[in-house]
Amino acid sequence: MMSAVTQAVAAPRIRAPYENWRPPVIGVSLVVPVGADRLAVADLRGMLMLPGGGVYERQTPEDAARRVLSGPPGGLRLLRRVAVDWAQTRRRKVITHVLATAPMTREAVGHLIYRDPRATVRVLPTVRVIDDLPTQGRLRVLVGLQALATGETAYVEEGVVLPSAPPNLTPEWWGQRSPGT
């Protein structure tokens, strides 16, 4: 004889299909080269990550990047967008723009202020950063550095690097808020 608890546990789960009934979450991550073989990263109590933050309504990814890291003399010099990474979650799409800055000196990095006061900006060898970052951050660094070297923009969908921009990539969906960004 089955109890009510056993019957409830044995019942199959009904899964809702993925659908974008909420607007996408748009964010920005920064690849900050320091010299030829180092990167600046945010260290949040022992957890390394690329400096990043959200892109708000009517804000370009470039403006958001300048809000993430501030403080160097002359402002943060952004080179270009090196990658766009997106993933479909259960109810919304998450889009992350990866932007690269011009190479900085250690002295200039010392003036950087991260948006989260609990984190500090550290300069570490690129190899160590790649080893210590979580999988998604590691992929963004590797793809971003390769795109920076080749002059191309990389596109990553669900952790897979695409050979070219997908045909359904539109400026509105991509998070582009103004011409020329």
Side-chain angles (χ1 to χ4, degrees):
M1 175 183 229
M2 285 186 150
S3 69
V5 172
T6 307
Q7 288 177 352
V9 170
R13 293 183 63 192
I14 298 173
R15 296 181 186 258
Y18 292 120
E19 65 180 62
N20 290 322
W21 59 273
R22 298 172 75 187
V25 174
I26 302 173
V28 65
S29 287
L30 294 173
V31 174
V32 183
V34 180
D37 63 345
R38 297 184 179 275
L39 293 173
V41 293
D43 183 352
L44 180 63
R45 299 181 179 166
M47 183 178 78
L48 295 182
M49 63 183 127
L50 290 177
V55 178
Y56 299 122
E57 189 67 29
R58 296 191 182 105
Q59 186 179 45
T60 66
E62 290 79 7
D63 291 338
R66 286 185 182 90
R67 193 185 74 251
V68 168
L69 283 175
S70 60
L76 191 63
R77 289 187 26 221
L78 296 172
L79 284 179
R80 64 184 190 84
R81 185 179 331 209
V82 291
V84 179
D85 182 6
W86 67 93
Q88 176 67 52
T89 63
R90 187 161 182 86
R91 298 288 182 215
R92 62 172 51 181
K93 195 167 287 286
V94 178
I95 304 165
T96 304
H97 299 274
V98 182
L99 284 86
T101 68
M104 301 180 81
T105 63
R106 280 182 173 266
E107 181 182 335
V109 171
H111 296 287
L112 290 176
I113 301 168
Y114 187 54
R115 67 175 177 79
D116 186 344
R118 298 172 299 165
T120 57
V121 178
R122 295 181 56 197
V123 176
L124 297 172
T126 302
V127 174
R128 176 164 176 218
V129 170
I130 291 169
D131 287 343
D132 290 350
L133 283 175
T135 305
Q136 195 62 34
R138 183 178 308 130
L139 179 63
R140 288 178 185 158
V141 167
L142 291 172
V143 168
L145 289 173
Q146 181 180 8
L148 190 59
T150 62
E152 299 291 324
T153 300
Y155 303 95
V156 181
E157 181 177 12
E158 304 282 344
V160 176
V161 180
L162 302 177
S164 63
N168 62 349
L169 192 63
T170 63
E172 296 79 27
W173 177 86
W174 197 28
Q176 188 171 342
R177 302 254 186 346
S178 64
T181 60

